[in-house]
Coordinates of all heavy atoms in Angstrom, one line a residue:
M1055 N -26.1 18.8 6.2 CA -25.7 17.6 7.1 C -26.5 17.7 8.3 O -26.7 18.7 9.0 CB -24.2 17.6 7.3 CG -23.8 16.4 8.0 SD -22.0 16.5 8.4 CE -21.3 16.2 6.8
T1056 N -27.1 16.5 8.7 CA -27.9 16.4 9.9 C -27.0 16.2 11.1 O -25.9 15.8 10.9 CB -29.0 15.4 9.8 OG1 -28.2 14.1 9.7 CG2 -29.9 15.6 8.6
V1057 N -27.6 16.4 12.3 CA -26.9 16.2 13.5 C -26.4 14.7 13.6 O -25.4 14.3 14.0 CB -27.7 16.6 14.7 CG1 -27.0 16.2 16.0 CG2 -27.9 18.1 14.6
S1058 N -27.3 13.8 13.2 CA -27.0 12.3 13.3 C -25.9 12.0 12.3 O -25.0 11.1 12.6 CB -28.3 11.5 12.9 OG -28.7 11.7 11.6
A1059 N -25.8 12.6 11.2 CA -24.6 12.4 10.3 C -23.3 12.8 10.9 O -22.3 12.1 10.7 CB -24.9 13.0 8.9
V1060 N -23.3 13.9 11.6 CA -22.1 14.4 12.2 C -21.7 13.4 13.3 O -20.5 13.1 13.4 CB -22.3 15.8 12.7 CG1 -21.1 16.2 13.6 CG2 -22.5 16.9 11.7
G1061 N -22.6 12.9 14.0 CA -22.3 11.9 15.1 C -21.8 10.6 14.5 O -20.8 10.1 15.1
A1062 N -22.3 10.2 13.4 CA -21.8 9.0 12.8 C -20.4 9.2 12.2 O -19.6 8.2 12.3 CB -22.8 8.6 11.7
V1063 N -20.1 10.3 11.7 CA -18.8 10.5 11.1 C -17.7 10.6 12.2 O -16.7 10.0 12.1 CB -18.8 11.8 10.3 CG1 -17.3 12.2 9.9 CG2 -19.6 11.7 9.0
S1064 N -18.1 11.2 13.4 CA -17.1 11.3 14.4 C -16.9 10.0 15.1 O -15.9 9.8 15.8 CB -17.6 12.4 15.5 OG -18.8 12.0 16.0
A1065 N -17.8 9.0 14.9 CA -17.7 7.7 15.5 C -16.6 6.9 14.8 O -16.1 5.9 15.3 CB -19.0 7.0 15.5
L1066 N -16.2 7.3 13.6 CA -15.2 6.5 12.8 C -13.8 6.8 13.4 O -13.5 7.9 13.9 CB -15.1 7.1 11.3 CG -16.4 6.8 10.5 CD1 -16.2 7.5 9.2 CD2 -16.6 5.3 10.3
P1067 N -13.0 5.7 13.6 CA -11.8 5.9 14.2 C -10.8 6.7 13.2 O -10.8 6.5 12.0 CB -11.2 4.4 14.3 CG -11.9 3.6 13.4 CD -13.3 4.3 13.2
A1068 N -10.2 7.6 13.8 CA -9.2 8.5 13.0 C -7.8 8.0 13.1 O -7.4 7.4 14.1 CB -9.3 10.0 13.5
I1069 N -7.1 8.3 12.0 CA -5.7 8.0 12.0 C -5.0 9.2 12.8 O -5.1 10.3 12.5 CB -5.1 8.0 10.6 CG1 -5.7 6.8 9.9 CG2 -3.6 7.9 10.6 CD1 -5.3 6.8 8.4
A1070 N -4.3 8.8 13.8 CA -3.7 9.8 14.7 C -2.5 10.4 13.9 O -1.6 9.7 13.3 CB -3.2 9.2 16.0
P1071 N -2.3 11.7 13.9 CA -1.2 12.3 13.2 C 0.1 12.0 14.0 O 0.1 11.8 15.2 CB -1.5 13.8 13.2 CG -2.4 14.0 14.4 CD -3.2 12.7 14.5
I1072 N 1.2 12.0 13.2 CA 2.5 11.8 13.8 C 3.0 13.2 14.2 O 3.0 14.0 13.3 CB 3.5 11.1 12.8 CG1 3.0 9.6 12.6 CG2 4.9 11.1 13.4 CD1 3.8 8.9 11.5
T1073 N 3.4 13.4 15.4 CA 3.9 14.7 15.8 C 5.3 14.7 16.1 O 6.0 13.5 16.0 CB 3.2 15.1 17.2 OG1 3.5 14.1 18.1 CG2 1.7 15.2 17.0
T1074 N 6.0 15.7 16.3 CA 7.4 15.8 16.5 C 7.8 15.0 17.8 O 8.9 14.6 17.9 CB 7.9 17.2 16.5 OG1 7.2 18.0 17.5 CG2 7.8 17.9 15.2
S1075 N 6.9 14.9 18.7 CA 7.2 14.2 19.9 C 7.2 12.7 19.6 O 7.8 11.9 20.5 CB 6.2 14.5 21.1 OG 4.9 14.2 20.7
D1076 N 6.6 12.3 18.6 CA 6.7 10.8 18.2 C 8.0 10.4 17.6 O 8.4 9.3 17.6 CB 5.5 10.4 17.2 CG 4.2 10.6 17.9 OD1 4.1 10.6 19.1 OD2 3.2 10.7 17.1
V1077 N 8.8 11.4 17.1 CA 10.0 11.1 16.3 C 11.1 11.5 17.2 O 11.2 12.6 17.8 CB 10.0 11.9 15.0 CG1 11.4 11.6 14.3 CG2 8.8 11.6 14.2
T1078 N 12.0 10.6 17.4 CA 13.2 10.8 18.3 C 14.4 11.2 17.4 O 14.3 11.1 16.3 CB 13.5 9.6 19.1 OG1 13.8 8.5 18.2 CG2 12.4 9.2 20.1
G1079 N 15.4 11.7 18.1 CA 16.6 12.1 17.4 C 17.4 11.1 16.7 O 17.0 9.9 16.7
P1080 N 18.5 11.5 16.1 CA 19.3 10.5 15.4 C 19.9 9.3 16.2 O 20.3 8.4 15.6 CB 20.4 11.3 14.7 CG 20.4 12.6 15.5 CD 19.1 12.8 16.0
S1081 N 19.9 9.5 17.5 CA 20.5 8.4 18.3 C 19.5 7.4 18.8 O 19.7 6.6 19.6 CB 21.1 9.1 19.7 OG 20.1 9.7 20.4
S1082 N 18.3 7.4 18.1 CA 17.3 6.4 18.5 C 17.6 5.1 18.0 O 18.4 4.9 17.0 CB 15.9 6.9 17.9 OG 16.0 6.8 16.5
S1083 N 17.2 4.0 18.7 CA 17.5 2.7 18.3 C 16.6 2.1 17.3 O 15.6 2.7 17.0 CB 17.4 1.7 19.6 OG 16.1 1.7 20.0
G1084 N 17.0 1.0 16.7 CA 16.2 0.4 15.6 C 14.9 -0.1 16.2 O 13.9 -0.2 15.5
A1085 N 14.8 -0.5 17.4 CA 13.6 -1.0 18.1 C 12.5 0.1 18.0 O 11.3 -0.2 17.8 CB 13.8 -1.4 19.5
D1086 N 12.9 1.4 18.2 CA 11.9 2.4 18.1 C 11.3 2.6 16.7 O 10.1 2.7 16.6 CB 12.5 3.8 18.5 CG 12.9 3.8 20.0 OD1 12.4 3.0 20.8 OD2 13.8 4.6 20.4
F1087 N 12.1 2.5 15.7 CA 11.6 2.5 14.3 C 10.7 1.3 14.0 O 9.7 1.5 13.4 CB 12.8 2.5 13.3 CG 12.3 2.5 11.9 CD1 11.8 3.7 11.4 CD2 12.4 1.4 11.2 CE1 11.4 3.7 10.1 CE2 12.0 1.4 9.9 CZ 11.5 2.6 9.3
G1088 N 11.1 0.2 14.5 CA 10.3 -1.0 14.3 C 8.9 -0.9 15.0 O 7.9 -1.3 14.4
A1089 N 8.9 -0.3 16.2 CA 7.7 0.0 16.9 C 6.8 0.9 16.1 O 5.6 0.7 16.1 CB 8.0 0.4 18.3
M1090 N 7.4 1.9 15.6 CA 6.6 2.9 14.9 C 6.0 2.3 13.6 O 4.9 2.5 13.2 CB 7.5 4.1 14.5 CG 7.8 5.1 15.6 SD 8.9 6.4 15.1 CE 7.8 7.2 13.9
V1091 N 6.7 1.4 12.9 CA 6.2 0.7 11.8 C 5.1 -0.2 12.2 O 4.0 -0.2 11.5 CB 7.4 0.0 11.0 CG1 6.9 -1.0 9.9 CG2 8.4 0.9 10.4
A1092 N 5.3 -0.9 13.2 CA 4.2 -1.9 13.7 C 2.9 -1.1 14.1 O 1.9 -1.5 13.8 CB 4.8 -2.6 14.9
Q1093 N 3.2 0.0 14.7 CA 2.0 0.9 15.1 C 1.3 1.4 13.9 O 0.1 1.4 13.8 CB 2.5 2.0 16.0 CG 1.3 2.9 16.5 CD 1.9 4.0 17.4 OE1 3.0 4.5 17.3 NE2 1.0 4.5 18.3
G1094 N 2.0 1.8 12.9 CA 1.4 2.3 11.6 C 0.7 1.3 10.9 O -0.4 1.5 10.4
L1095 N 1.2 0.0 10.8 CA 0.5 -1.0 10.2 C -0.7 -1.5 11.0 O -1.8 -1.8 10.4 CB 1.4 -2.2 10.1 CG 2.6 -2.1 9.1 CD1 3.5 -3.3 9.1 CD2 2.0 -1.9 7.7
Q1096 N -0.7 -1.3 12.3 CA -1.8 -1.6 13.1 C -3.0 -0.6 12.9 O -4.1 -1.0 12.7 CB -1.5 -1.7 14.6 CG -2.6 -2.1 15.5 CD -2.2 -2.2 17.0 OE1 -1.3 -1.5 17.4 NE2 -2.9 -3.1 17.7
R1097 N -2.6 0.7 12.8 CA -3.5 1.7 12.4 C -4.2 1.5 11.1 O -5.4 1.6 10.9 CB -2.9 3.1 12.4 CG -2.5 3.6 13.8 CD -1.9 5.0 13.7 NE -1.3 5.4 14.9 CZ -0.5 6.4 15.0 NH1 -0.1 7.1 13.9 NH2 0.0 6.7 16.1
L1098 N -3.4 1.1 10.1 CA -3.8 0.7 8.7 C -4.8 -0.4 8.8 O -5.9 -0.3 8.2 CB -2.7 0.4 7.8 CG -3.1 -0.1 6.4 CD1 -3.8 1.0 5.7 CD2 -1.8 -0.6 5.7
Q1099 N -4.6 -1.4 9.6 CA -5.5 -2.5 9.7 C -6.8 -2.1 10.3 O -7.8 -2.5 9.9 CB -4.8 -3.7 10.5 CG -5.7 -4.9 10.6 CD -5.0 -6.0 11.4 OE1 -3.9 -5.8 12.0 NE2 -5.5 -7.1 11.3
Q1100 N -6.7 -1.3 11.3 CA -8.0 -0.7 12.0 C -8.8 0.1 11.0 O -10.1 -0.1 11.0 CB -7.7 0.1 13.2 CG -7.1 -0.7 14.3 CD -6.5 0.2 15.4 OE1 -6.4 1.4 15.2 NE2 -6.2 -0.4 16.6
V1101 N -8.2 0.9 10.2 CA -9.0 1.7 9.2 C -9.6 0.8 8.2 O -10.7 1.0 7.8 CB -8.0 2.8 8.7 CG1 -8.6 3.5 7.4 CG2 -7.7 3.8 9.7
Q1102 N -8.8 -0.2 7.7 CA -9.3 -1.0 6.7 C -10.5 -1.9 7.3 O -11.5 -2.1 6.6 CB -8.3 -1.9 6.1 CG -7.3 -1.2 5.2 CD -6.2 -2.0 4.6 OE1 -5.8 -3.0 5.3 NE2 -5.7 -1.6 3.5
Q1103 N -10.4 -2.3 8.5 CA -11.4 -3.1 9.2 C -12.7 -2.3 9.3 O -13.8 -2.8 9.0 CB -11.0 -3.6 10.5 CG -12.0 -4.5 11.2 CD -12.2 -5.8 10.3 OE1 -11.3 -6.4 9.9 NE2 -13.5 -6.1 10.2
T1104 N -12.6 -1.0 9.6 CA -13.7 -0.1 9.7 C -14.4 0.0 8.3 O -15.6 0.0 8.3 CB -13.3 1.3 10.2 OG1 -12.7 1.1 11.5 CG2 -14.5 2.2 10.3
A1105 N -13.6 0.2 7.3 CA -14.2 0.3 6.0 C -14.9 -1.0 5.6 O -16.0 -1.0 4.9 CB -13.1 0.7 5.0
D1106 N -14.3 -2.1 5.9 CA -14.9 -3.4 5.5 C -16.2 -3.6 6.3 O -17.2 -4.1 5.7 CB -13.9 -4.6 5.9 CG -12.7 -4.6 5.0 OD1 -12.7 -3.9 3.9 OD2 -11.7 -5.3 5.3
D1107 N -16.2 -3.2 7.6 CA -17.4 -3.4 8.4 C -18.5 -2.5 7.8 O -19.7 -3.0 7.7 CB -17.2 -3.0 9.8 CG -16.4 -4.0 10.5 OD1 -16.1 -5.1 10.1 OD2 -15.8 -3.6 11.6
L1108 N -18.2 -1.3 7.4 CA -19.2 -0.4 6.8 C -19.7 -0.9 5.4 O -20.9 -0.8 5.1 CB -18.7 1.0 6.8 CG -18.6 1.7 8.0 CD1 -17.8 3.1 7.9 CD2 -19.9 1.9 8.7
A1109 N -18.8 -1.5 4.7 CA -19.2 -2.1 3.4 C -20.1 -3.2 3.5 O -21.2 -3.3 2.8 CB -17.9 -2.6 2.7
V1110 N -20.0 -4.0 4.6 CA -20.9 -5.2 4.9 C -22.3 -4.6 5.3 O -23.3 -5.0 4.8 CB -20.3 -6.1 5.9 CG1 -21.4 -7.0 6.5 CG2 -19.2 -6.9 5.4
Q1111 N -22.3 -3.5 6.1 CA -23.5 -2.8 6.5 C -24.2 -2.3 5.4 O -25.4 -2.4 5.2 CB -23.2 -1.8 7.6 CG -22.8 -2.3 9.0 CD -22.5 -1.2 9.9 OE1 -22.9 -0.1 9.7 NE2 -21.8 -1.5 11.0
A1112 N -23.5 -1.7 4.4 CA -24.0 -1.1 3.1 C -24.7 -2.2 2.3 O -25.7 -2.0 1.8 CB -23.1 -0.2 2.4
A1113 N -23.9 -3.3 2.2 CA -24.4 -4.4 1.4 C -25.7 -5.0 1.9 O -26.5 -5.5 1.1 CB -23.3 -5.4 1.1
T1114 N -25.8 -5.1 3.2 CA -27.0 -5.7 3.8 C -28.1 -4.7 4.1 O -29.1 -5.2 4.5 CB -26.5 -6.4 5.2 OG1 -26.0 -5.4 6.0 CG2 -25.6 -7.5 5.0
G1115 N -27.8 -3.5 3.8 CA -29.0 -2.6 4.0 C -29.1 -2.0 5.4 O -30.0 -1.3 5.7
R1116 N -28.1 -2.3 6.3 CA -28.1 -1.8 7.6 C -27.5 -0.4 7.8 O -27.5 0.2 8.9 CB -27.5 -2.8 8.6 CG -28.2 -4.1 8.7 CD -27.7 -5.0 9.7 NE -26.3 -5.5 9.2 CZ -25.3 -5.6 9.9 NH1 -25.3 -5.3 11.1 NH2 -24.2 -6.1 9.3
L1117 N -26.8 0.1 6.8 CA -26.1 1.4 6.8 C -27.1 2.5 6.4 O -27.6 2.4 5.2 CB -24.9 1.3 6.0 CG -24.0 2.6 6.1 CD1 -23.4 2.7 7.5 CD2 -22.8 2.5 5.1
T1118 N -27.3 3.4 7.3 CA -28.3 4.5 6.9 C -27.7 5.6 6.1 O -28.3 6.1 5.2 CB -28.9 5.1 8.2 OG1 -27.9 5.6 9.0 CG2 -29.7 4.1 8.9
D1119 N -26.4 5.9 6.3 CA -25.7 7.0 5.6 C -24.6 6.4 4.8 O -23.5 6.0 5.3 CB -25.2 8.0 6.6 CG -26.3 8.8 7.3 OD1 -27.4 9.0 6.6 OD2 -26.1 9.1 8.5
V1120 N -24.8 6.3 3.5 CA -23.7 5.7 2.6 C -22.4 6.5 2.6 O -21.3 6.0 2.4 CB -24.3 5.6 1.2 CG1 -23.2 5.0 0.3 CG2 -25.5 4.6 1.2
H1121 N -22.6 7.8 2.8 CA -21.3 8.7 2.8 C -20.4 8.2 4.0 O -19.2 8.4 3.9 CB -21.7 10.1 3.0 CG -22.2 10.6 4.3 ND1 -23.6 10.5 4.6 CD2 -21.7 11.0 5.4 CE1 -23.8 10.9 5.8 NE2 -22.6 11.3 6.3
D1122 N -20.9 7.6 5.1 CA -20.0 7.1 6.1 C -19.1 6.1 5.5 O -17.8 6.1 5.8 CB -20.7 6.6 7.3 CG -21.4 7.6 8.1 OD1 -21.1 8.8 8.0 OD2 -22.3 7.2 8.8
Y1123 N -19.6 5.2 4.7 CA -18.8 4.1 4.0 C -17.8 4.8 3.1 O -16.7 4.4 3.0 CB -19.6 3.1 3.3 CG -18.8 2.2 2.4 CD1 -17.9 1.3 2.8 CD2 -18.9 2.4 1.0 CE1 -17.1 0.7 2.1 CE2 -18.1 1.7 0.1 CZ -17.3 0.7 0.6 OH -16.5 0.0 -0.2
M1124 N -18.2 5.7 2.3 CA -17.4 6.4 1.3 C -16.2 7.1 2.0 O -15.1 7.0 1.5 CB -18.2 7.4 0.5 CG -19.2 6.7 -0.4 SD -18.5 5.5 -1.5 CE -17.5 6.5 -2.5
I1125 N -16.5 7.7 3.1 CA -15.4 8.4 3.9 C -14.4 7.4 4.4 O -13.2 7.5 4.2 CB -16.0 9.2 5.0 CG1 -16.8 10.4 4.4 CG2 -14.9 9.7 6.0 CD1 -17.6 11.2 5.5
A1126 N -14.9 6.3 4.9 CA -14.1 5.2 5.5 C -13.2 4.5 4.4 O -12.1 4.3 4.5 CB -14.9 4.2 6.3
A1127 N -13.9 4.3 3.3 CA -13.2 3.7 2.1 C -12.1 4.5 1.5 O -11.0 4.1 1.2 CB -14.2 3.2 1.0
T1128 N -12.4 5.9 1.5 CA -11.3 6.7 1.0 C -10.2 6.9 2.0 O -9.0 6.9 1.6 CB -12.0 8.1 0.7 OG1 -13.0 8.0 -0.2 CG2 -11.0 9.1 0.2
E1129 N -10.5 6.9 3.3 CA -9.5 7.0 4.3 C -8.6 5.8 4.2 O -7.4 5.8 4.3 CB -10.1 7.2 5.7 CG -9.1 7.4 6.8 CD -9.8 7.5 8.1 OE1 -11.1 7.5 8.2 OE2 -9.1 7.8 9.1
A1130 N -9.3 4.6 4.1 CA -8.5 3.4 4.0 C -7.6 3.3 2.7 O -6.5 2.9 2.8 CB -9.4 2.1 3.9
S1131 N -8.1 3.8 1.6 CA -7.3 3.9 0.3 C -6.1 4.8 0.6 O -5.0 4.4 0.1 CB -8.2 4.4 -0.8 OG -7.5 4.6 -1.9
L1132 N -6.4 6.0 1.1 CA -5.2 6.9 1.4 C -4.2 6.3 2.3 O -3.0 6.5 2.1 CB -5.8 8.3 1.8 CG -6.5 9.1 0.8 CD1 -7.2 10.3 1.5 CD2 -5.6 9.5 -0.3
A1133 N -4.6 5.7 3.3 CA -3.7 5.1 4.3 C -2.9 4.0 3.7 O -1.7 3.8 3.9 CB -4.5 4.5 5.5
T1134 N -3.5 3.2 2.8 CA -2.8 2.1 2.1 C -1.7 2.8 1.2 O -0.6 2.3 1.1 CB -3.7 1.3 1.3 OG1 -4.7 0.6 2.2 CG2 -3.0 0.2 0.5
S1135 N -2.1 3.8 0.5 CA -1.2 4.5 -0.4 C 0.0 5.0 0.3 O 1.1 5.0 -0.2 CB -1.9 5.6 -1.2 OG -3.0 5.0 -2.1
L1136 N -0.3 5.7 1.4 CA 0.8 6.2 2.2 C 1.7 5.1 2.7 O 3.0 5.2 2.7 CB 0.2 6.9 3.5 CG 1.3 7.5 4.5 CD1 2.2 8.5 3.8 CD2 0.6 8.1 5.6
T1137 N 1.2 4.0 3.2 CA 2.0 2.9 3.7 C 2.8 2.3 2.6 O 4.1 2.0 2.8 CB 1.1 1.8 4.2 OG1 0.3 2.3 5.3 CG2 1.9 0.6 4.8
V1138 N 2.3 2.1 1.4 CA 3.1 1.7 0.2 C 4.2 2.7 -0.1 O 5.3 2.3 -0.4 CB 2.2 1.4 -1.0 CG1 3.0 1.1 -2.3 CG2 1.3 0.2 -0.7
A1139 N 3.9 3.9 -0.1 CA 4.9 4.9 -0.4 C 6.0 4.9 0.6 O 7.2 5.1 0.2 CB 4.3 6.4 -0.4
V1140 N 5.7 4.8 1.8 CA 6.7 4.7 2.9 C 7.6 3.5 2.8 O 8.8 3.5 2.9 CB 6.1 4.8 4.3 CG1 7.1 4.4 5.4 CG2 5.5 6.2 4.6
R1141 N 6.9 2.3 2.5 CA 7.7 1.2 2.2 C 8.7 1.3 1.0 O 9.8 0.9 1.1 CB 6.7 -0.1 2.0 CG 7.4 -1.4 1.8 CD 6.8 -2.3 0.9 NE 6.5 -1.7 -0.4 CZ 5.8 -2.3 -1.4 NH1 5.2 -3.4 -1.1 NH2 5.6 -1.8 -2.6
N1142 N 8.2 1.8 -0.1 CA 9.0 2.0 -1.2 C 10.2 2.9 -0.9 O 11.3 2.7 -1.3 CB 8.2 2.5 -2.4 CG 7.2 1.5 -2.9 OD1 7.4 0.3 -2.7 ND2 6.3 2.0 -3.7
K1143 N 9.9 4.0 -0.2 CA 11.0 4.9 0.2 C 12.0 4.2 1.1 O 13.2 4.4 1.0 CB 10.5 6.2 0.8 CG 11.5 7.2 1.1 CD 12.2 7.6 -0.2 CE 11.5 8.7 -1.0 NZ 12.2 9.2 -2.1
A1144 N 11.5 3.4 2.0 CA 12.5 2.6 2.9 C 13.3 1.7 2.2 O 14.5 1.6 2.4 CB 11.7 1.9 4.0
L1145 N 12.7 1.0 1.2 CA 13.5 0.0 0.4 C 14.5 0.7 -0.5 O 15.7 0.3 -0.7 CB 12.6 -0.8 -0.4 CG 11.8 -1.9 0.3 CD1 10.8 -2.6 -0.6 CD2 12.7 -3.0 0.8
E1146 N 14.1 1.9 -1.1 CA 15.0 2.7 -1.8 C 16.2 3.1 -1.0 O 17.3 3.1 -1.4 CB 14.3 3.9 -2.4 CG 15.0 4.8 -3.3 CD 14.2 6.0 -3.8 OE1 13.0 5.7 -4.2 OE2 14.8 7.1 -3.7
S1147 N 15.9 3.6 0.2 CA 17.0 4.1 1.1 C 17.9 2.9 1.5 O 19.1 3.1 1.6 CB 16.4 4.7 2.4 OG 15.6 5.8 2.0
F1148 N 17.3 1.7 1.8 CA 18.1 0.6 2.2 C 19.0 0.2 1.0 O 20.2 -0.1 1.2 CB 17.2 -0.6 2.5 CG 17.9 -1.8 2.7 CD1 18.6 -2.1 4.0 CD2 17.9 -2.9 1.8 CE1 19.3 -3.3 4.2 CE2 18.7 -4.0 2.0 CZ 19.3 -4.3 3.2
N1149 N 18.5 0.2 -0.2 CA 19.3 -0.2 -1.4 C 20.4 0.8 -1.6 O 21.6 0.4 -1.9 CB 18.4 -0.3 -2.6 CG 17.6 -1.5 -2.6 OD1 18.0 -2.6 -1.9 ND2 16.5 -1.5 -3.2
E1150 N 20.1 2.1 -1.4 CA 21.1 3.1 -1.5 C 22.3 3.0 -0.5 O 23.5 3.1 -0.8 CB 20.5 4.5 -1.4 CG 21.5 5.7 -1.7 CD 22.0 5.7 -3.2 OE1 21.2 5.2 -4.0 OE2 23.1 6.2 -3.4
I1151 N 21.9 2.6 0.7 CA 22.9 2.3 1.8 C 23.8 1.2 1.4 O 25.0 1.1 1.6 CB 22.2 2.2 3.2 CG1 21.7 3.5 3.6 CG2 23.2 1.6 4.1 CD1 20.8 3.4 4.8
M1152 N 23.2 0.1 0.9 CA 23.9 -1.1 0.5 C 24.8 -0.9 -0.7 O 25.9 -1.5 -0.8 CB 22.9 -2.2 0.2 CG 22.1 -2.7 1.3 SD 22.9 -3.1 2.8 CE 23.7 -4.6 2.3
R1153 N 24.6 0.2 -1.5 CA 25.4 0.5 -2.6 C 26.7 1.3 -2.2 O 27.6 1.5 -3.0 CB 24.7 1.3 -3.7 CG 23.9 0.3 -4.6 CD 23.3 1.1 -5.8 NE 21.9 0.8 -5.8 CZ 20.8 1.6 -5.7 NH1 21.1 2.9 -5.6 NH2 19.6 1.2 -5.7
M1154 N 26.6 1.9 -1.0 CA 27.7 2.7 -0.6 C 28.9 1.9 -0.4 O 28.9 0.9 0.1 CB 27.4 3.5 0.8 CG 26.4 4.5 0.7 SD 26.1 5.2 2.3 CE 24.9 6.4 2.0
Q1155 N 30.1 2.5 -0.7 CA 31.3 1.8 -0.5 C 31.8 2.1 0.9 O 31.8 3.2 1.4 CB 32.4 2.2 -1.5 CG 32.0 1.8 -2.9 CD 33.1 2.2 -3.9 OE1 34.1 2.7 -3.5 NE2 32.8 2.0 -5.2
A1156 N 32.4 1.0 1.4 CA 32.9 1.1 2.9 C 34.3 1.7 2.9 O 35.0 1.8 2.0 CB 32.9 -0.3 3.5

């Protein structure tokens, strides 16, 4: 890997990991959860936009290192899969709560 390739890879926006300081205790309000969901969707959109931009560059011949696009496309695919899995788990949990007897 050349030095220019390392610089190009580090220029890609990274998905920030969720740390324990990002998650509040059980007394947190619904607004905090909503903000976390909105932030996650915004990160997903940014990752997908980066992959789309690199795809256009690759198609027009302006992208020098195709592996940059492959990395971005894989990252976008994984982020999408994670988002769908979280959505499915949230819906499953909601449905389970709705089935509980009062």
Side-chain angles (χ1 to χ4, degrees):
M1055 183 182 287
T1056 64
V1057 174
S1058 62
V1060 171
V1063 171
S1064 64
L1066 296 174
I1069 296 176
I1072 296 176
T1073 62
T1074 55
S1075 63
D1076 294 336
V1077 180
T1078 58
S1081 64
S1082 66
S1083 68
D1086 293 338
F1087 177 75
M1090 286 178 62
V1091 170
Q1093 183 181 24
L1095 291 174
Q1096 185 176 28
R1097 288 181 192 166
L1098 173 64
Q1099 185 177 10
Q1100 290 171 347
V1101 169
Q1102 287 180 333
Q1103 185 62 45
T1104 299
D1106 290 345
D1107 292 343
L1108 289 172
V1110 169
Q1111 289 179 15
T1114 59
R1116 293 183 292 137
L1117 186 64
T1118 56
D1119 294 322
V1120 179
H1121 69 274
D1122 289 340
Y1123 166 68
M1124 293 303 297
I1125 291 169
T1128 302
E1129 185 177 3
S1131 175
L1132 289 171
T1134 301
S1135 296
L1136 176 64
T1137 302
V1138 169
V1140 169
R1141 181 210 57 186
N1142 290 344
K1143 189 55 88 170
L1145 285 173
E1146 182 182 315
S1147 299
F1148 174 79
N1149 287 333
E1150 185 67 28
I1151 289 169
M1152 295 307 288
R1153 278 188 232 120
M1154 288 182 181
Q1155 293 184 3

